[in-house]
């Protein structure tokens, strides 16, 4: 429907209209699917030129073409994702672990590799349905946030027959609005869920005294408790919503008989892709980081915001977050008063 030449002409016209400098832009390829357009640029500077300052150019292009969304990606980013996906597949394939659901995950990775530019999870699972395991093959650590919710949905669709658990350390870490998401999602997916009460008092105390940034110890404790639950219930896999541990680190042996699978990372996903799959479940989204403890730490000890920002920058470098999304998250810290 659209050609590279047409898109370039429209982009240059919009850049001229809004007073942006004239630059040479190179497009590698374009793909159109229903009401969405993917523009694949040769490199990141070309991507930046099409997006424009503050997303102004691509926003006006979307309005002009009457599309629901336009995705702009650089070819180099896809090469990185392709390499990560191949490493993920090799790592999963070489595991000494029999699991039909993991074989299904390998198939999804293969299909994603075949359609790198325009892979869409919603349409994919409309056409591909996997048989669910008779036994529970995985327990999903569910916080009620975007990444863990995606992981539970995908675990269900892949046939893991998952069980969901949530480490409940009190409302200062797990606020009630996240519990509402957990209840809604588990009911819609017909998945068994269990809260595990845990005492994070020492972490909370040290954080509110400014001695530590809470995320590291909180995450470590959650992982430890989830592993204990999996071992005690003879469930071979714990699934987390980690987006950074891609490739060879997407799954690893935590303890004898228990593996940790970072499901979004195994598929080298972006935050936008994750949100597209969970949108149909109408979960409440929260701006910034939803942890009240982290909010209080940022408010009392502004210098500790640095460690939260470092996490955001790591996700941005890995292409899990778009720069605009990263800026919104960082800006949310500076609305903390």
């Amino acid at each position: 429907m659209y050609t590279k030449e047409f898109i370039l002409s429209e982009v240059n016209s919009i850049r001229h209209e809004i007073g942006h400098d004239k630059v040479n832009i190179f497009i590698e390829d374009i793909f159109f699917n229903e009401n969405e357009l993917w523009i694949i640029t040769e490199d990141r500077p070309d991507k930046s030129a099409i997006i424009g300052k503050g997303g102004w150019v691509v926003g006006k292009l979307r309005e002009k073409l009457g599309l629901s969304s336009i995705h702009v990606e650089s070819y180099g980013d896809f090469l990185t994702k392709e390499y990560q996906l191949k490493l993920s597949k090799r790592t999963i394939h070489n595991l000494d672990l029999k699991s039909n659901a993991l074989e299904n995950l390998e198939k999804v990775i293969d299909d994603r590799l075949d359609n790198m530019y325009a892979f869409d999870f919603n349409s994919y699972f409309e056409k591909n349905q996997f048989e669910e395991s008779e036994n529970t093959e995985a327990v999903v650590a569910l916080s009620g946030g975007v990444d863990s919710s995606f992981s539970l949905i995908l675990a269900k669709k892949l046939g893991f027959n998952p069980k969901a658990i949530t480490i409940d350390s009190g409302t200062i870490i797990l606020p009630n609005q996240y519990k509402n998401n957990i209840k809604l999602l588990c009911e819609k997916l017909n998945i068994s869920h269990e809260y595990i009460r845990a005492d994070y008092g020492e972490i909370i105390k040290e954080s509110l005294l400014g001695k530590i940034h809470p995320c590291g110890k909180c995450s470590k404790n959650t992982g430890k408790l989830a592993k204990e639950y999996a071992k005690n219930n003879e469930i071979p896999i714990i699934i987390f919503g980690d987006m950074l541990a891609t490739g060879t680190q997407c799954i690893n042996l935590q303890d004898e008989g228990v593996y940790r699978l970072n499901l979004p990372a195994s598929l080298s996903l972006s935050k936008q892709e994750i949100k597209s799959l969970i949108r149909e479940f109408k979960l409440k989204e929260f701006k910034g980081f939803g942890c009240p403890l982290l909010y209080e730490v940022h408010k009392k000890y502004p210098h500790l915001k640095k460690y939260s920002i470092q996490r955001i920058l790591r996700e941005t470098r890995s292409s899990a977050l778009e720069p605009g999304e990263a800026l919104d998250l960082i800006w949310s810290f500076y609305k903390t008063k």
Side-chain angles (χ1 to χ4, degrees), residues 78-90 106-117 119 267:
F78 279 107
L79 289 176
T80 300
K81 282 191 177 186
E82 181 181 38
Y83 183 63
Q84 290 171 340
L85 286 166
K86 287 178 178 178
L87 290 177
S88 291
K89 184 189 173 185
R90 186 188 73 190
E106 281 190 66
K107 182 183 185 311
V108 175
I109 291 172
D110 276 334
D111 292 340
R112 185 163 163 80
L113 281 165
D114 289 339
N115 185 22
M116 283 291 297
Y117 296 152
F119 187 91
L267 289 157

Side-chain angles (χ1 to χ4, degrees), residues 25-215:
I25 302 170
F26 298 92
I27 294 178
E28 176 76 17
D29 217 336
I30 59 170
F31 290 87
F32 182 74
N33 181 24
E34 294 181 354
N35 206 28
E36 292 184 282
L37 178 67
W38 280 261
I39 303 173
I40 315 303
T41 64
E42 289 194 359
D43 204 355
R44 275 185 165 263
D46 303 304
K47 173 181 174 178
S48 298
I50 292 175
I51 292 173
K53 296 173 183 176
W56 204 359
V57 176
V58 74
K60 283 189 168 291
L61 180 64
R62 182 183 60 79
E63 291 174 6
K64 196 170 184 179
L65 300 181
L67 300 175
S68 63
S69 61
I70 296 177
H71 310 275
V72 187
E73 303 286 353
S74 77
Y75 184 59
D77 290 340
F78 279 107
L79 289 176
T80 300
K81 282 191 177 186
E82 181 181 38
Y83 183 63
Q84 290 171 340
L85 286 166
K86 287 178 178 178
L87 290 177
S88 291
K89 184 189 173 185
R90 186 188 73 190
T91 303
I92 294 167
H93 186 76
N94 290 337
L95 287 176
D96 186 21
L97 177 62
K98 179 66 178 174
S99 166
N100 289 334
L102 283 178
E103 290 177 9
N104 296 337
L105 176 56
E106 281 190 66
K107 182 183 185 311
V108 175
I109 291 172
D110 276 334
D111 292 340
R112 185 163 163 80
L113 281 165
D114 289 339
N115 185 22
M116 283 291 297
Y117 296 152
F119 187 91
D120 177 72
F121 281 97
N122 289 302
S123 58
Y124 180 82
F125 284 112
E126 285 176 7
K127 299 171 185 173
N128 297 273
Q129 295 185 357
F130 298 110
E131 186 176 346
E132 190 163 69
S133 170
E134 291 184 7
N135 301 317
T136 297
E137 291 191 7
V139 57
V140 178
L142 180 64
S143 69
V146 170
D147 301 337
S148 67
S149 296
F150 168 88
S151 298
L152 184 63
I153 295 165
L154 193 58
K156 177 74 172 178
K157 290 182 180 293
L158 288 170
F160 279 100
N161 189 9
K163 180 167 185 175
I165 61 168
T166 302
I167 310 302
D168 188 355
S169 47
T171 54
I172 195 168
I173 292 178
L174 183 70
N176 287 328
Q177 57 263 39
Y178 280 80
K179 289 186 175 181
N180 293 337
N181 273 357
I182 289 167
K183 184 175 185 293
L184 176 64
L185 185 60
C186 290
E187 285 178 353
K188 284 191 173 184
L189 292 172
N190 192 26
I191 287 176
S192 172
H193 173 265
E194 185 176 340
Y195 281 106
I196 298 173
R197 290 289 302 168
D199 182 6
Y200 279 35
E202 194 62 30
I203 294 173
I204 294 168
K205 180 182 176 182
E206 289 186 345
S207 299
L208 293 177
L209 288 173
K211 292 182 178 180
I212 63 167
H213 186 282
C215 292

Side-chain angles (χ1 to χ4, degrees), residues 245-259:
T246 56
T248 56
Q249 300 304 310
C250 71
I251 187 166
N252 53 70
L253 185 62
Q254 293 282 288
D255 212 332
E256 187 175 346
V258 178
Y259 289 82

Side-chain angles (χ1 to χ4, degrees), residues 40 138 143 158 171 190 205 227 236 243 245 283 300 303 316 333:
I40 315 303
S143 69
L158 288 170
T171 54
N190 192 26
K205 180 182 176 182
K227 181 175 70 175
M243 298 177 68
L283 302 179
K300 293 181 72 174
H303 68 281
T316 308
F333 298 160

